[in-house]
Amino acid sequence: MLRGRRSRVLAFVALFSVSLIGFARPDALLADDSGLEAVLADVEDAILIEPSEDVTKVLAQNAPRSIDDLKLIEEHVAALAKRLEPCVVGVRIGSAQGSGVIVSKDGYVLTAAHVSGKPDRNVTLILPDGREVKGKTLGANRGIDAGMIKITSNAGKVWPFAAMADIDDVDAGDWTLAIGHPGGFKKGRRPVVRLGRIVVKRRNVLQTDNALVGGDSGGPLFDASGRVIGIHSRIGPSITWNFHVPISAFTEDWERLASADEWGGGSTRSPTVLGVNGEDHPDGGALVTGTPDGFPAQVAGIQNGDVITQVDDETIKRFTDLSEYVGKQKPGDKVRVVVRRDGKTIEFEVTLADRNER
Amino acid sequence: MTRSSLALVLATAAALSLPTAASAQSLARNQFRSGALVRAAFRPVVEEASLATVRVKVAGKKAALGFVVSSDGHVLTKASELDGPVTCHTSEGLDFDADVVGIHQPTDLALLKIDGANLPIVEWAEGKDPAVGRWVVSSAPVEDPVAVGIVSVDRRRIPKTRGVLGIQIEEDEPGPRITQIFPNSGAEKADLLAGDKISSVNGKKTPTRKELVETLAKYGPGESVELRVHAEDGDESKVRVTLGHPLPNLLNRGAMQNRMGGDLSTRRAGFPFVLQHDSYLDPEDCGGPLLDLDGRVVGVNIARAGRTETYALPTSEVRKVLPDLITGKLAPPKPRDADAIETKTDGDDAKVPRKGA
């Protein structure tokens, strides 16, 4: 018998989204000491909080074993949080907000490509106490979500900055500190600190259980010495699915990012969304297994267990038929969704939405 | 909610495969920050406090945690979860009926009284709030902590948000008429129907759409109101509805992302002071004590507020309110005769009985 191929479709949500289409290549904004070597040469001025031998030993265990272990960790984490705060910034471009981290004394800021967007844009950077400084976006590797910004205010000022780690020193199980501005910078709230561990290390992504949410994008993931090991990028449905761009994406392509080059990715994804998740139904159609709150499908009354068999005049045999059809529509378009529920056929009129609308 | 129903997956989204351990270094689940092995290290921290922590149930269902603050049976918990008969289940396995003897609306704290004697009580922390980065541990009436985390943000005020019924309305007589009920709203749970008309809220007449909206705006999410409802067939009834958060507009990504990873408390805004911590706490595990590594209470968990945030009322603030709760100064009003509510027009909204018929 034919069994439907169960193609479970999962997607991750970028923690912050701005429209990313367009590949204008502006003049590079180059400082004369933009090289990575110059930045690394200054590393002794970076904020570094090396853990004591005792703390290192405790952190190397599978898990803390006693209250004494926990107290050692606590003293160190509290010091890290306090000392690292000054190099964490909020990033505002238009009405959009994300986070970033200063990694050189002359004000290079690492962030996510989906926060900084195109090169040579004006940005406002928000310091932890709420003061604002100006900056320009530099390069972006869209494929891996690495972006760079340079502070342009206060030329000649020495900024507090974090050191960048060597990715080879990073392993699954390492304790990590995530700092950023969930929900965007909020007056009266300093950068928000979360503790976690590296759950998965891959060449192009780090996963941790430091819970992140929209607005954190671009913020730093620190190791136990306060070195930047990753930049917050996106999340999945479980609270332990938090994804970070590995620091190697910045150090290996430093010159390219600093010279305002832009490459990789280039999302052609349609912004139009119905708001269902699901899989192929064995008897044909798209079986709905989730309807996120507030999305068009849920608002219209489509429920888990419904099988979508037709949209407008298009027959839906598999889940991808649904994705493709919706992707061809525009946000605001009305579609007729035909659903099989408890043996009955029900029709819904659904107004499609734009995934990037806030 | 299960993980799959929370999955944010959009029909048009690019499919990405999940990270799997096959080609990557990965960490065993029990060693995660909140994994079983890590939480086990905190057992000595909660050893004493877990004895004083109770499971608060409403109509037999898990509603909150609470903790004993006097050996004769005063129990602190989260007020807005208590919408029915309350019982407390202790670490010794005993079940007590509980009376709500005090409610402090600004902090959402409630004081319960159970009929106990020589009950173990918690030890309060003295002095300043724990600093950002300090461990905080949430106890339950069991051996392991229910959650562990660190302080994420120093104490701050959380402004109030407006509560909503979850309806669309149009002008009509004798009051605005409901044209649409939104799914998963308080209105839907209370079985309101399109076509119903609402003539009063907690006894305050609402003859126009504007007056209805303005009256409801005085209440926050998690608060409940009594509506006088006129059905299309002429039936009149009183309906109690719990207000929710403003419905996320179509693609409010922030609201949506905050729900990725677990449910949130209904009342999660409008607090004079909170300490924000990063423990993963379920809404029904709020109301219990938050401990430092010495097992002393540094706060009361008062809301699961978002994917990255749990709020606790700092101990110094809780202890300011506690005497008024214990002496009865903040006793909830007794349910009054329903007609008295109905004829009341002065808009004295705060004194509505919480346990009305």
Side-chain angles (χ1 to χ4, degrees):
Chain A
M1 274 304 289
L2 277 176
R3 291 288 296 178
R5 195 162 53 92
R6 291 166 73 88
S7 63
R8 188 171 176 76
V9 181
L10 280 157
F12 296 94
V13 190
L15 296 178
F16 180 91
S17 182
V18 290
S19 176
L20 291 179
I21 313 302
F23 293 93
R25 178 74 191 280
D27 292 330
L29 180 97
L30 272 170
D32 47 5
D33 55 350
S34 67
L36 181 62
E37 277 172 27
V39 170
L40 294 181
D42 291 330
V43 75
E44 61 211 43
D45 298 329
I47 304 166
L48 270 180
I49 309 99
E50 292 294 352
S52 68
E53 226 170 274
D54 287 349
V55 171
T56 304
K57 257 187 230 160
V58 168
L59 294 179
Q61 296 172 158
N62 284 346
R65 290 172 190 161
S66 64
I67 295 191
D68 287 344
D69 285 0
L70 293 169
K71 286 196 167 172
L72 279 169
I73 295 175
E74 170 175 271
E75 289 296 335
H76 187 67
V77 169
L80 280 171
K82 191 170 181 184
R83 295 275 314 280
L84 290 168
E85 186 192 69
C87 64
V88 179
V89 295
V91 177
R92 197 172 66 224
I93 306 177
S95 63
Q97 287 208 53
S99 304
V101 58
I102 308 172
V103 293
S104 76
K105 66 179 181 187
D106 54 346
Y108 280 93
V109 172
L110 307 186
T111 188
H114 75 272
V115 170
S116 59
K118 290 193 291 187
D120 205 30
R121 298 209 295 174
N122 291 319
V123 303
T124 302
L125 301 165
I126 310 162
L127 306 178
D129 61 6
R131 277 181 302 145
E132 297 185 353
V133 296
K134 297 290 170 207
K136 281 260 191 229
T137 60
L138 299 177
N141 177 353
R142 295 196 180 287
I144 202 168
D145 201 19
M148 191 181 274
I149 295 170
K150 177 84 188 345
I151 302 176
T152 51
S153 298
N154 309 64
K157 180 180 159 70
V158 174
W159 297 95
F161 69 100
M164 292 178 281
D166 181 340
I167 199 68
D168 293 338
D169 297 339
V170 176
D171 292 310
D174 287 356
W175 288 82
T176 51
L177 213 59
I179 312 187
H181 291 284
F185 180 85
K186 290 190 172 125
K187 212 174 163 229
R189 187 192 70 179
R190 321 264 315 182
V192 177
V193 182
R194 285 139 286 171
L195 182 67
R197 304 185 79 172
I198 294 183
V199 168
V200 180
K201 179 194 176 189
R202 294 177 158 235
R203 170 154 171 77
N204 285 333
V205 70
L206 299 174
Q207 182 190 345
T208 70
D209 57 359
N210 298 76
L212 305 175
V213 80
D216 272 318
S217 271
L221 183 73
F222 294 107
D223 69 10
S225 306
R227 293 185 180 86
V228 182
I229 56 175
I231 291 295
H232 312 325
S233 173
R234 54 203 184 275
I235 59 177
S238 163
I239 200 155
T240 58
W241 292 11
N242 307 285
F243 301 95
H244 318 257
V245 182
I247 190 66
S248 47
F250 297 88
T251 50
E252 286 169 13
D253 284 320
W254 181 274
E255 313 296 336
R256 222 174 156 184
L257 289 165
S259 63
D261 196 4
E262 186 190 31
W263 74 99
S267 174
T268 54
R269 198 169 84 168
S270 161
T272 312
V273 64
L274 172 63
V276 294
N277 58 343
E279 53 197 46
D280 299 346
H281 191 277
D283 302 331
L287 172 65
V288 177
T289 60
T291 53
D293 274 357
F295 277 75
Q298 185 256 350
V299 170
I302 293 173
Q303 298 174 359
N304 284 359
D306 287 353
V307 179
I308 298 173
T309 55
Q310 191 180 334
V311 181
D312 293 338
D313 295 327
E314 186 84 4
T315 304
I316 304 299
K317 293 201 186 96
R318 304 197 319 191
F319 197 86
T320 50
D321 297 340
L322 178 64
S323 309
E324 277 168 27
Y325 186 78
V326 170
K328 286 180 201 155
Q329 314 305 311
K330 289 195 187 69
D333 284 355
K334 284 197 168 78
V335 292
R336 184 174 58 96
V337 178
V338 182
V339 155
R340 200 165 67 228
R341 181 189 295 172
D342 304 328
K344 294 193 200 105
T345 300
I346 315 175
E347 284 191 20
F348 296 90
E349 188 184 73
V350 186
T351 306
L352 299 174
D354 184 334
R355 76 172 74 246
N356 298 319
E357 288 291 318
R358 287 172 68 84
Chain B
M1 255 196 271
T2 63
R3 175 178 300 178
S4 65
S5 71
L6 277 163
L8 178 87
V9 183
L10 313 171
T12 59
L16 297 176
S17 61
L18 300 182
T20 55
S23 61
Q25 297 183 25
S26 65
L27 183 66
R29 184 156 273 279
N30 66 355
Q31 294 173 34
F32 283 23
R33 197 282 310 260
S34 292
L37 208 55
V38 175
R39 274 186 297 139
F42 290 86
R43 273 181 197 161
V45 174
V46 299
E47 196 176 347
E48 300 282 331
S50 65
L51 302 178
T53 309
V54 301
R55 165 59 65 192
V56 176
K57 295 182 179 177
V58 171
K61 282 169 71 179
K62 272 188 187 182
L65 290 169
F67 60 105
V68 181
V69 293
S70 74
S71 57
D72 61 343
H74 284 109
V75 174
L76 266 179
T77 187
K78 177 168 168 68
S80 55
E81 301 292 336
L82 310 176
D83 57 351
V86 181
T87 55
C88 292
H89 182 83
T90 67
S91 60
E92 291 183 307
L94 301 173
D95 288 288
F96 291 91
D97 288 332
D99 288 325
V100 181
V101 296
I103 285 176
H104 186 244
Q105 185 62 36
T107 55
D108 201 23
L109 281 173
L111 190 71
L112 309 176
K113 181 69 176 66
I114 59 176
D115 196 11
N118 299 319
L119 298 170
I121 63 171
V122 294
E123 186 189 345
W124 297 101
E126 304 288 344
K128 287 186 197 159
D129 294 340
V132 171
R134 296 278 163 186
W135 287 114
V136 280
V137 187
S138 300
S139 65
V142 292
E143 189 182 21
D144 275 350
V146 67
V148 301
I150 63 165
V151 177
S152 295
V153 186
D154 288 325
R155 71 157 72 185
R156 72 186 199 279
R157 191 177 76 88
I158 305 296
K160 193 169 179 169
T161 57
R162 187 171 62 88
V164 298
L165 285 174
I167 58 174
Q168 255 179 8
I169 43 179
E170 63 180 20
E171 238 28 295
D172 205 341
E173 292 285 330
R177 193 172 75 93
I178 299 175
T179 57
Q180 198 189 343
I181 307 276
F182 290 103
N184 306 319
S185 63
E188 187 188 62
K189 286 184 191 117
D191 293 327
L192 292 180
L193 296 172
D196 289 349
K197 293 168 195 170
I198 299 171
S199 64
S200 74
V201 176
N202 283 345
K204 180 165 167 56
K205 295 219 161 45
T206 54
T208 64
R209 188 173 183 275
K210 185 162 173 277
E211 279 165 284
L212 177 60
V213 170
E214 281 172 2
T215 305
L216 288 171
K218 292 178 189 164
Y219 300 88
E223 292 185 67
S224 71
V225 292
E226 189 173 68
L227 308 176
R228 171 148 288 238
V229 175
H230 307 256
E232 277 183 310
D233 62 7
D235 248 22
E236 266 185 57
S237 56
K238 284 177 203 148
V239 180
R240 184 152 282 275
V241 186
T242 301
L243 302 180
H245 278 261
L247 299 172
N249 59 25
L250 273 189
L251 273 186
N252 183 332
R253 295 163 55 93
M256 185 185 67
Q257 290 188 7
N258 263 325
R259 291 186 172 278
M260 292 173 62
D263 285 346
L264 306 180
S265 299
T266 306
R267 163 95 191 255
R268 55 180 187 270
F271 298 108
F273 290 107
V274 299
L275 282 175
Q276 180 176 327
H277 59 102
D278 69 350
S279 313
Y280 315 152
L281 200 67
D282 288 331
E284 65 268 26
D285 293 331
C286 290
L290 186 71
L291 312 170
D292 62 14
L293 285 184
D294 295 321
R296 293 172 309 195
V297 179
V298 294
V300 178
N301 286 317
I302 205 66
R304 179 64 178 158
R307 179 179 163 103
T308 62
E309 52 193 332
T310 300
Y311 295 157
L313 301 164
T315 280
S316 56
E317 298 302 313
V318 174
R319 294 184 76 183
K320 279 182 203 161
V321 175
L322 195 52
D324 286 348
L325 285 166
I326 289 182
T327 56
K329 205 169 158 188
L330 294 171
K334 298 251 184 308
R336 284 174 293 182
D337 180 64
D339 288 337
I341 302 170
E342 196 52 27
T343 53
K344 196 160 67 79
T345 54
D346 60 2
D348 187 5
D349 300 310
K351 292 191 178 139
V352 171
R354 300 192 64 86
K355 301 206 292 190

